[in-house]
Every structure is written in structure tokens, then in C-alpha cells.
Amino acid sequence: MTIYKLHERGLTLTTFFSALTKKPPAMKLQAAAILVIFWLGVFTVHTVRGSAGSQPMRKFACVNLSTQRLNIRQLVNYEKQQVPVNAIMFITEKGIKICVHPDQKWVQTAIKKIDQKRSTKGK
């Protein structure tokens, strides 16, 4: 468009160029959508790092609990677990992990024996 035609329409060069640089409403909506998606991505990564990422993930979690009584002499370690179920995970000399209910009397006795073994090794 020539300057003469701009003048005929009552436009100046500044109004012509400002009209060219204005974005249509669809472009504004797309830009806003992209910003929202980006923000949600950053928020999600931050949330995951703050919760699960800051805690070590267990490779093995108790879901089913054994009802059998174990030989206390073969147990070398234990871990307490509350999620997904409240349980004690015993680890045997061979590295086998067995989950049991923590309220049983023999389980409490086994935990005390393992703790005693740990304390005598530390001395």
C-alpha cells in the first residue's frame, strides 16, 4: 500500500504499522494456553520433587502379610512400613523379605532381638 492510499483512507504510517503488529485474538488465546501449560508443567515437577522425590523410593513394599511365625534366629534386619499397609518387613540371612503384622507378640520379640544384636555389634 502506498503512502498516497494510506492518506486517502485517513491513516498515517504509525497507525498502519501499529495495525500490522497487533495480534489477532486467536494468537493471544494460543499464547495464553501455552503459558498455562508451561506453568502447570513447572508446578507438577516442583510438586513431585518436593514429595516423592525427596524420599527414597522402596523397591519392595508390603501388600500381603504372612501369617506364619518365622524363625527369629534367621532374621537379620527389619523395616517398619505404614503405607500401603501397616507392617514389619523382616529380612532373613539369605536376603528374603517377609512382611508380617506388627501387633503380634513374636514380632515384637524378634524386633527386640534384632535391636540387641545391632547394639552389641556397635560396641
Side-chain angles (χ1 to χ4, degrees):
M1 193 176 275
T2 64
I3 296 176
Y4 178 74
K5 288 185 179 180
L6 286 174
H7 192 323
E8 279 181 355
R9 293 184 180 184
L11 299 172
T12 62
L13 280 176
T14 55
T15 56
F16 176 73
F17 285 117
S18 68
L20 284 178
T21 57
K22 285 186 179 177
K23 293 181 182 176
M27 293 287 285
K28 289 181 182 178
L29 183 61
Q30 288 174 347
I34 289 171
L35 286 174
V36 167
I37 292 170
F38 175 75
W39 180 80
L40 286 173
V42 170
F43 178 75
T44 303
V45 169
H46 177 72
T47 303
V48 168
R49 283 189 181 166
S51 59
S54 62
Q55 301 171 1
M57 296 296 289
R58 288 186 177 161
K59 292 181 182 177
F60 184 84
C62 297
V63 179
N64 296 325
L65 303 180
S66 174
T67 56
Q68 295 181 348
R69 184 176 173 155
L70 304 174
N71 185 352
I72 295 175
R73 292 183 207 141
Q74 294 178 346
L75 304 177
V76 293
N77 202 356
Y78 70 93
E79 293 179 18
K80 293 181 181 180
Q81 174 186 300
Q82 294 179 341
V83 177
V85 293
N86 191 17
I88 299 293
M89 181 193 316
F90 283 118
I91 303 167
T92 66
E93 294 170 339
K94 294 181 181 181
I96 299 170
K97 297 177 180 178
I98 303 167
C99 300
V100 295
H101 198 277
D103 295 334
Q104 296 177 11
K105 190 172 182 175
W106 73 266
V107 173
Q108 298 300 321
T109 305
I111 289 172
K112 287 178 185 176
K113 293 256 186 192
I114 292 170
D115 288 340
Q116 287 174 354
K117 287 180 188 178
R118 286 183 190 167
S119 63
T120 55
K121 285 184 180 180
K123 291 181 181 181

